Amino acid sequence: MPEDWITKVSDLTLCLSGYPIRIRLHTGRAKPYALEVDGEAVRSYSSLSQARHEALRSAAEWDKRVEQALADGTA
């Protein structure tokens, strides 16, 4: 699982390289960090470390889904 993050300063977004996973910062909110995973509901967190932990967990789940799709021949 990668640990490389690409910072997109223009929209205050961290993208997990190679995955459809993003953490967005929305200032002025009680839970300013939004975790976005393609195909899933947005989840909000009060700290970047919480959002990062869940992003890495989501990446591991993504790897399992891709692996299963490749094994099933559906990818």
Side-chain angles (χ1 to χ4, degrees):
M1 186 169 26
E3 294 282 336
D4 299 325
W5 294 88
I6 301 168
T7 304
K8 294 170 55 179
V9 179
S10 62
D11 60 3
L12 299 174
T13 301
L14 294 172
C15 298
L16 185 55
S17 180
Y19 293 87
I21 298 171
R22 296 161 301 285
I23 297 174
R24 293 193 191 273
L25 173 61
H26 302 282
T27 58
R29 294 184 183 180
K31 293 184 176 182
Y33 298 97
L35 176 61
E36 301 173 355
V37 179
D38 288 0
E40 296 182 13
V42 174
R43 293 174 275 173
S44 297
Y45 298 93
S46 56
S47 77
L48 179 57
S49 63
Q50 288 174 322
R52 182 180 182 275
H53 174 77
E54 288 302 310
L56 294 173
R57 187 186 59 72
S58 294
E61 290 175 4
W62 183 264
D63 284 341
K64 288 178 186 175
R65 286 186 289 208
V66 168
E67 194 174 294
Q68 186 63 47
L70 290 171
D72 293 343
T74 58

